[in-house]
Amino acid sequence: MIPETSEHLEAAFASKRVLITGGLGFIGSTLAHRLVRLGSRVLLVDSLIPEYGGNLFNVHGLEGSVQVNISDVRDEHSFRYLVQGQDYLFNLAGQTSHMDSMRDPYTDLEINCRSQLSILETCRKYNPGVRIVFASTRQIYGKPEYLPVDEKHILRPVDVNGVNKMAGEWFHVLYHNVYGISACALRLGNTYGPRMRIKDARQTFLGIWIRLLLENKPFEIWDGHQLRDFTFVDDAVEAFLLAAASRSVAGRVFNLGGDGPISLKQLGDLLVDIADGGTYIERSFPPERKRIDIGDYYANDESIREALGWKPRTGLRDGLSETMTYYRQYRQHYL
Ligand SMILES: NC(=O)c1ccc[n+]([C@@H]2O[C@H](COP(=O)([O-])OP(=O)(O)OC[C@H]3O[C@@H](n4cnc5c(N)ncnc54)[C@H](O)[C@@H]3O)[C@@H](O)[C@H]2O)c1
């Protein structure tokens, strides 16, 4: 039987020591807010590289409740000390831009692939009992051969980021299979919500859409027929917590879905409706984007529903409204 989530999660995380890599980023910081409410002792590790999604404002309100260590997961020496004594490791530090991974493949390799191996080696040597959840991505499937995509779908990434994230994910599975490290991975799709990067499209196109809408400027929709599904960040956070709290899922990988597929044009219309006005321009993908585009994607997330009782609870309209409200209030901290 799957336990009721909040009590179950309180029992798993109250007073526990939790390390979040990428903890000042969009998802990592939202996880930190939730863990503080659950009574955890939270340490956030983040490099705050300006082009990525890290932002000190993301932990606004948590001053005094979390520890923040500005360091880079490529630095094996500092990580060795940071990981010792931790009960849980939520491993979210990553380079997220697909285009940046093509322009600068070696940085993506260092962060999304090599560092993942060194993080696991460090855990194996200095904290083999830590329980790890890794933030993987649907990008590793490449262009879907069928929809919805389940975890058995072939992995054939279309860009450097996808190849490196795939390796990062598989190092986690490998370290479970060979060394018994308790690690599993969540393959996130398009995740959205308060604290996401809106400065540009490096994290998600939805970020720049929201920014332009709030600035009363038109945003661009490329190939409006394309289908996607969207996971609200609180639902993604719930999945991370449930996965970490359950030993039975170690070594496994799970897709996360959302509120069902929607075309990008429908999404644009929904946003304009929520914002009570706004315009967009429809155009085709620029050639350099088209080359690494995956086409339609939406997830089959039955595995995690069955294994952990997880399901997305936030409808797209509600999630987008909450996001718009957040940026109406705090946009200046994200530009
Ligand atoms: N947001 C999504 O839609 C989505 C989709 C699929 C996968 N993911 C994965 O989820 C994770 C979190 O993504 P996010 O959306 O919160 O992005 P984000 O950019 O907001 O968070 C990533 C964080 O990692 C930090 N970071 C990057 N390189 C680092 C390094 N070398 N050392 C220490 N910190 C470093 C960044 O500063 C940032 O704060 C990433 O691994 C990403 O690949 C996200």
Side-chain angles (χ1 to χ4, degrees):
M1 200 186 97
I2 292 153
E4 278 302 309
T5 56
S6 11
E7 275 173 37
H8 165 54
L9 293 180
E10 238 168 72
F13 292 104
S15 307
K16 290 293 192 301
R17 294 184 63 183
V18 181
L19 169 60
I20 307 176
T21 69
L24 294 174
F26 160 46
I27 303 171
S29 62
T30 309
L31 185 56
H33 282 268
R34 180 78 193 276
L35 282 162
V36 166
R37 290 200 297 279
L38 288 168
S40 303
R41 295 154 67 193
V42 181
L43 170 61
L44 307 176
V45 171
D46 203 294
S47 56
L48 282 183
I49 297 167
E51 290 77 22
Y52 303 169
N55 186 335
L56 274 171
F57 189 76
N58 283 341
V59 289
H60 172 64
L62 294 185
E63 298 81 2
S65 306
V66 293
Q67 261 187 293
V68 177
N69 190 303
I70 307 298
S71 60
D72 198 299
V73 293
R74 286 171 285 187
D75 177 359
E76 293 171 36
H77 303 293
S78 58
F79 198 75
R80 169 176 165 181
Y81 290 95
L82 295 168
V83 82
Q84 288 180 36
Q86 301 294 336
D87 297 300
Y88 295 96
L89 164 59
F90 291 100
N91 192 11
L92 278 75
Q95 193 297 109
T96 63
S97 161
H98 302 292
M99 283 309 293
D100 286 3
S101 82
M102 302 310 290
R103 283 187 216 106
D104 177 10
Y106 301 116
T107 300
D108 195 273
L109 179 77
E110 281 292 312
I111 297 174
N112 288 330
C113 180
R114 192 186 189 288
S115 296
Q116 304 311 316
L117 181 58
S118 74
I119 285 171
L120 287 158
E121 265 297 275
T122 309
C123 290
R124 182 176 75 80
K125 289 183 190 151
Y126 301 103
N127 188 356
V130 68
R131 288 161 70 172
I132 309 172
V133 185
F134 174 67
S136 183
T137 169
R138 57 111 167 100
Q139 192 69 8
I140 70 178
Y141 293 118
K143 283 191 189 6
E145 289 192 348
Y146 56 86
L147 292 166
V149 174
D150 59 19
E151 292 86 350
K152 294 193 180 79
H153 189 286
I154 189 170
L155 302 182
R156 196 164 41 207
V158 293
D159 57 25
V160 168
N161 179 264
V163 173
N164 291 329
K165 289 292 286 189
M166 179 172 77
E169 177 193 286
W170 279 85
F171 286 138
H172 285 76
V173 174
L174 181 81
Y175 270 61
H176 167 264
N177 294 346
V178 177
Y179 299 116
I181 303 267
S182 180
C184 67
L186 303 180
R187 291 178 179 164
L188 309 184
N190 284 78
T191 311
Y192 73 100
R195 307 188 185 90
M196 68 195 212
R197 184 175 172 99
I198 60 161
K199 202 174 196 163
D200 50 37
R202 277 202 163 86
Q203 190 176 76
T204 162
F205 62 88
L206 200 49
I208 192 70
W209 285 13
I210 288 175
R211 174 180 177 173
L212 291 170
L213 254 180
L214 291 171
E215 291 173 355
N216 297 316
K217 294 177 187 157
F219 59 92
E220 287 187 358
I221 300 183
W222 301 342
D223 186 1
H225 299 294
Q226 208 168 75
L227 296 175
R228 283 283 186 282
D229 57 359
F230 293 85
T231 313
F232 188 60
V233 66
D234 290 353
D235 288 327
V237 160
E238 182 87 359
F240 274 97
L241 296 172
L242 291 170
S246 166
R247 278 191 194 281
S248 65
V249 297
R252 294 187 62 182
V253 297
F254 295 108
N255 286 344
L256 294 192
D259 189 16
I262 181 171
S263 77
L264 298 188
K265 183 165 164 31
Q266 286 170 325
L267 180 71
D269 289 333
L270 180 59
L271 257 188
V272 167
D273 186 42
I274 290 167
D276 219 4
T279 52
Y280 56 78
I281 300 160
E282 287 186 79
R283 52 174 286 201
S284 48
F285 267 85
E288 72 280 11
R289 290 270 179 174
K290 188 72 197 159
R291 280 200 289 270
I292 61 166
D293 175 50
I294 62 162
D296 295 340
Y297 175 90
Y298 51 96
N300 175 332
D301 57 18
E302 271 163 34
S303 285
I304 190 166
R305 289 174 187 247
E306 267 170 39
L308 294 171
W310 177 85
K311 63 175 181 203
R313 290 171 197 277
T314 312
L316 191 54
R317 175 177 279 277
D318 288 347
L320 287 174
S321 303
E322 194 173 325
T323 310
M324 291 291 283
T325 304
Y326 181 83
Y327 286 106
R328 278 205 184 93
Q329 193 171 356
Y330 298 122
R331 180 168 41 126
Q332 70 276 20
H333 299 286
Y334 290 87
L335 302 180

